[in-house]
Amino acid sequence: MSEGLTIYQKIRNDIISGEITQDEKLTEAKLAEKYQVSRTPVREAIKQLEMEYFIKDAHVFIPTSEEYRDIFEMRILLETHALRKACIVYTEADLEELKHYTEVDIEQEDETTIIKTNDLFHQKIMKATHNPFIIDTYQKLSSYIYLFSKTVINKRRPGLIEEHRAIVDALFERQHERAIQLLEDHLTKDLEFSLYYLPSSKR
């Protein structure tokens, strides 16, 4: 287990890796013993993961394929709205920062670096809203965003970084509607690619 992670991150990562299974009951006492911490940080972590739809009724929540699609529909709505705002408020420096996040070499860098850079790219877009309520709603999806990012990066989805570059190029060229469509297409490809690998509930 990686050092320096919060209890929230450790529990989330163990859910994603399958170390914590769907049939386990996730009590504060059990998790506090597992991670050798007091119940307080565990309680806060559980609350966060419940808010992010990762834990439900003290068990790991495994969405159906349709629920994954519903979660991603929300993400697409939020990010395309944010990019529409970015088209208005972005300065040249903002565009250069976004471009910087597309320069990672997916074949050479380690997975953690690529996931972090990918997250910075999308977070930069979201910040363009300057709307704390929208950003808070987006953050509630953060565990699933991480799950999908980890999947597409671990499995090296073709075109992942190239699609980021195409979005940035369209912004530089002031082809705003094209940039928004490219972002929607990019996220839809992430969804369809990930659904092939992710476990889903059959309920």
Side-chain angles (χ1 to χ4, degrees), residues 167-190:
I167 293 165
V168 174
D169 287 345
L171 290 172
F172 269 109
E173 295 165 7
R174 299 188 180 279
Q175 296 179 6
H176 295 159
E177 290 303 319
R178 173 172 167 74
I180 292 164
Q181 185 59 57
L182 285 170
L183 176 61
E184 182 173 346
D185 292 345
H186 166 72
L187 292 174
T188 300
K189 287 176 183 176
D190 277 357

Side-chain angles (χ1 to χ4, degrees), residues 135-170:
I135 292 171
D136 181 64
T137 300
Y138 185 80
Q139 291 302 324
K140 288 178 181 177
L141 302 176
S142 62
S143 282
Y144 278 103
I145 290 171
Y146 177 83
L147 172 61
F148 277 87
S149 296
K150 186 174 177 63
T151 302
V152 297
I153 289 165
N154 178 262
K155 303 300 181 182
R156 294 298 194 267
R157 178 172 81 74
L160 181 68
I161 301 300
E162 289 83 355
E163 289 162 19
H164 283 186
R165 291 176 187 142
I167 293 165
V168 174
D169 287 345

Side-chain angles (χ1 to χ4, degrees), residues 113-146:
T113 298
I114 300 168
I115 290 173
K116 181 179 179 181
T117 306
N118 181 71
D119 182 60
L120 288 169
F121 179 87
H122 289 281
Q123 290 287 349
K124 176 64 179 177
I125 291 172
M126 287 307 304
K127 287 175 183 176
T129 65
H130 297 290
N131 185 322
F133 297 100
I134 289 176
I135 292 171
D136 181 64
T137 300
Y138 185 80
Q139 291 302 324
K140 288 178 181 177
L141 302 176
S142 62
S143 282
Y144 278 103
I145 290 171
Y146 177 83

Side-chain angles (χ1 to χ4, degrees), residues 8-41:
Y8 155 76
Q9 290 171 321
K10 290 177 181 179
I11 297 173
R12 180 199 64 187
N13 290 356
D14 284 347
I15 291 172
I16 290 172
S17 71
E19 183 171 329
I20 295 177
T21 61
Q22 188 179 13
D23 57 356
E24 287 185 61
K25 187 167 184 179
L26 304 178
T27 65
E28 290 178 17
K30 180 179 178 180
L31 292 173
E33 181 178 358
K34 175 180 175 65
Y35 297 103
Q36 295 294 294
V37 295
S38 69
R39 291 192 184 190
T40 301

Side-chain angles (χ1 to χ4, degrees), residues 106-117:
I106 197 168
E107 298 301 327
Q108 299 296 324
E109 292 287 357
D110 63 275
E111 183 177 304
T112 301
T113 298
I114 300 168
I115 290 173
K116 181 179 179 181
T117 306

